[in-house]
Amino acid sequence: MYDLQILINILLTFVINLLVANSYSLIYYPTKFFHIAHAAVITLSAYFVFFFANKLSIPFWPSVAFAITAAVSIGLLCEVLVYLKMRRRNVPALAYLIASIGLYLVLQNCISLYFGDDTKIINTAEVTVGHQIFGAYITTVQLVTIAVSLVLFVAVNLFLQFTATGKSIRAVGSNPELCNIYGISSNKIILTAFGIGSALAATAGILSAMDTNMTPTFGFNLLLYGVVAMIIGGVGSTRGLIAGSLLVATAQHLAAYYIDTKWMDAVTYIILILFLIWKPLGFSGKRLKKVEV
Amino acid sequence: MEYILHLLILICFYTLLSQSLNLSAGFTGLISLSHAGFYGIGAYITAILSTHFGFSFWLNLPLAMLISGAIAFVVSLIALRTVEDYFIICTLGIQVILFSLMNNLMNVTRGPLGIPGIPSISFFGMSLDSKISFLTLSLFFVALVWFVLKNISKSGFGKTLTAISEDEIYTQSIGKNVYQSKIISFTTSAILAAIPGALYAHYISYIDPTSFTVNESIFILSIVIIGGLGNLTGSFLAAAFLVLLPEVLRFVGMPDSIAANMRQIIYGVMLVAVMMTDRNGFLELEFQRKKQKMR
């Protein structure tokens, strides 16, 4: 019966990783830089729920809606106030990454200052034992997490495939200058991508915080797992995202089971490094960029 | 007075750290987030050698530099297969791996318990217990590293490194071995990072993994960027500024708990500001020059 429990745990980590990786690649694909402050969006959304629901005693569902809106605004503000201005001056990807580390530091420390560094729990109704399936336990929150993540993943990918906006996001990803020539404003499209990506990340943050608990830095780890999943899956490939997230989740839980939970992080990065050595283009084999000139 | 000396010693440590990182990040353009990891290796090697085997500082230091360099060499062989932002993510991964080794190898590093009881440095039979004598020793190393880095940057090899940071492909086309130069630069920078590591272990006499986290790496990188890439004096000034910043904040009446967070917020804002404006953003100017050349 222990095996089934591991499978459920892998599935849970997988869907959260998938959601984060998807939200991240949505932003990474059109912009081509690492938006580290995305981690702060993940963390902020969970803390906003905590703030609205526990401090202001607003009912749960409206606070979730407010929290996602607030977190999305933070994501959009990063783009409008910082990245957009940098893009006008045409700086290299490295400069965005450093600026985003700066943004992350600011946002994360604001959370630490206001809420404190201790572990917080979002109170949702009453604590339940969870449903028993063939001897393994799964809580309602976990069931909701799996359902919501998978639905969002499918919805976002259908959106990217079949709607005009979704196609524009992919078009901007493959060639922003040509898009501008054809009358698609790449800045508007990137702003849209930031909006949708931040909303997905906010959802992932809330789900993850409700399942376990939260500290001001939990988003950073979550984001890094997503980034690793995206890189080993290959950028811009849906199947790659699934494979990458699954591999990361499986490796983490097997490492936790066979070695020790404290090695989970190290194992994740060892996989990343192994991929960078033997398969630098990820599962999908798409070119990263700049590697070949 | 003791406290002022303590601050001066800290400034020495961060000057050493940021200047050594400046060799790879500033001169060569290899922005790395694993510097605290190599700093930690230096500190741990020193701590283990002196507590288990009773080695003196003068034997620990070269060994720590050697091991840190060897690890950096292996790491650079892997990490340098990637470029620019992928390189940063790769070094971030290496930092996390190094940290979890320090935190989890209980039988070697004692994990989160840390290693206590590291003896202080003795110099020809006299013990450098007092802060003033330790400061003198630190200043000696700062001067030495500064001198070495200044000379590297002026040498032909230094010019190759600058050329790599400006235009990698062009540098390769004139027959320079780019990959090899990058490896040397990255390894040297890690070797130099072991010096403040060894000093730190002997100075504080107790080390634990929390001094060598990702945040510490980000802090060291921030010093380098705020001071200006490739600017050794800038690194020193930025290190002094950021070390003294919490003291200034405390002086204007901010409680300790807030001062630590405020410092991070302030250097976060400074990072964004440097990246957004042309002023002070040395990296910025460097890349613009590169762009103009290509047009």
Side-chain angles (χ1 to χ4, degrees), chain B residues 2-16:
Chain B
E2 283 287 288
Y3 192 64
I4 293 172
L5 288 176
H6 171 71
L7 288 176
L8 289 177
I9 292 171
L10 282 186
I11 292 174
C12 286
F13 288 167
Y14 283 104
T15 307
L16 283 166

Side-chain angles (χ1 to χ4, degrees), chain B residues 43-62:
Chain B
Y44 266 98
I45 298 292
T46 308
I48 291 165
L49 288 180
S50 56
T51 52
H52 283 236
F53 304 102
F55 285 10
S56 84
F57 170 74
W58 305 101
L59 192 56
N60 290 337
L61 182 68

Side-chain angles (χ1 to χ4, degrees), chain B residues 192-207:
Chain B
L192 294 178
I195 300 177
L199 286 171
Y200 177 81
H202 281 290
Y203 175 62
I204 304 285
S205 85
Y206 164 80
I207 54 168

Side-chain angles (χ1 to χ4, degrees), chain B residues 232-246:
Chain B
L232 294 174
T233 320
S235 290
F236 164 69
L237 293 175
F241 172 71
L242 286 176
V243 168
L244 295 178
L245 187 59

